Amino acid sequence: MIKEQYLQQLWKHLDKIPEPKRREIMFDYEDHFRIAAELGRSEEEAARELGDPQMIAREMLLGYRVEEAENSGGVVRLSKAVLATAGLGFFNLVFVLGPYIALLSVLLSLWVVSGACGILAIGAMYEGFFGDAVTRMQASFIAISAIGVGMLLGAGTHKLTRGVFKMTLKYLRFNTRVIMNKERN
């Protein structure tokens, strides 16, 4: 009865993980109960050794999210991995989620400035052809300069975004290892 309750709770808490992956995880935990029974230990002892099914599910979800972010490389999946990490405790909430939001804000603002340079170029050309503030020559110079700055800023921001992405994944992997070792000790 304990085994079935434990596995049902674990299955329920793993609901955010796709079913094939969830079945792999469940197989490992079912195997733990099987081996414990072969060694003559009770189901209660086996369940106690494993720990809280909700905490296990959170750790498994974190591992799954980090793996998913590594394989896909998308900001949305990376954000899900960061949120899964933040859900493991107050420390992670402060030291993972806060800096991550700050980094995303900086990157977003750099992307916006890069795009604004393109809009500035269009505005300058419009003013050069239809307005009186600048001549066409001046408008052309402003537009070329704005496009150049925007392209350089966009290229730099792209590299910075990739660096932040890799750094965040490395930190999440490190954090996952620390949490897993802490739970085992």
Side-chain angles (χ1 to χ4, degrees), residues 131-171:
D132 295 333
V134 292
T135 65
R136 287 184 183 172
M137 184 64 115
Q138 290 171 328
S140 298
F141 179 75
I142 292 170
I144 289 171
S145 298
I147 288 173
V149 168
M151 288 176 68
L152 285 174
L153 187 60
T157 304
H158 183 263
K159 287 229 177 229
L160 187 63
T161 301
R162 291 176 62 101
V164 166
F165 188 84
K166 286 180 182 176
M167 182 186 71
T168 303
L169 277 176
K170 280 184 180 181
Y171 180 75

Side-chain angles (χ1 to χ4, degrees), residues 6-185:
Y6 189 92
L7 293 175
Q8 282 177 357
Q9 283 183 10
L10 185 59
W11 179 264
K12 186 181 126 203
H13 291 303
L14 291 171
D15 65 342
K16 293 179 181 168
I17 297 176
E19 193 167 330
K21 182 75 176 174
R22 200 176 350 162
R23 288 197 184 281
E24 282 179 33
I25 294 168
M26 293 302 292
F27 178 77
D28 292 340
Y29 286 93
E30 288 169 3
D31 208 34
H32 176 81
F33 277 103
R34 185 186 56 76
I35 291 171
E38 288 175 3
L39 295 174
R41 291 191 305 233
S42 69
E43 291 182 353
E44 289 86 6
E45 285 178 286
R48 203 172 321 116
E49 285 173 3
L50 291 173
D52 182 22
Q54 187 174 10
M55 194 62 191
I56 290 170
R58 285 183 182 169
E59 292 170 3
M60 292 294 132
L61 180 63
L62 171 62
Y64 172 73
R65 296 284 191 215
V66 169
E67 183 181 312
E68 191 181 48
E70 287 173 340
N71 293 335
S72 74
V75 172
V76 172
R77 294 203 169 149
L78 181 64
S79 296
K80 285 181 179 180
V82 169
L83 289 175
T85 304
L88 290 176
F90 180 74
F91 177 82
N92 286 330
L93 184 66
V94 172
F95 290 102
V96 175
L97 190 59
Y100 181 70
I101 290 172
L103 278 172
L104 280 184
S105 300
V106 169
L107 289 174
L108 180 65
S109 62
L110 288 172
W111 282 112
V112 167
V113 169
S114 177
C117 287
I119 294 171
L120 173 66
I122 293 170
M125 290 305 292
Y126 180 82
E127 184 62 29
F129 282 99
F130 303 109
D132 295 333
V134 292
T135 65
R136 287 184 183 172
M137 184 64 115
Q138 290 171 328
S140 298
F141 179 75
I142 292 170
I144 289 171
S145 298
I147 288 173
V149 168
M151 288 176 68
L152 285 174
L153 187 60
T157 304
H158 183 263
K159 287 229 177 229
L160 187 63
T161 301
R162 291 176 62 101
V164 166
F165 188 84
K166 286 180 182 176
M167 182 186 71
T168 303
L169 277 176
K170 280 184 180 181
Y171 180 75
L172 291 177
R173 274 187 251 126
F174 166 76
N175 196 332
T176 304
R177 281 194 309 268
V178 168
I179 289 170
M180 298 288 188
N181 286 335
K182 183 179 155 189
E183 291 296 318
R184 288 187 184 121
N185 294 329

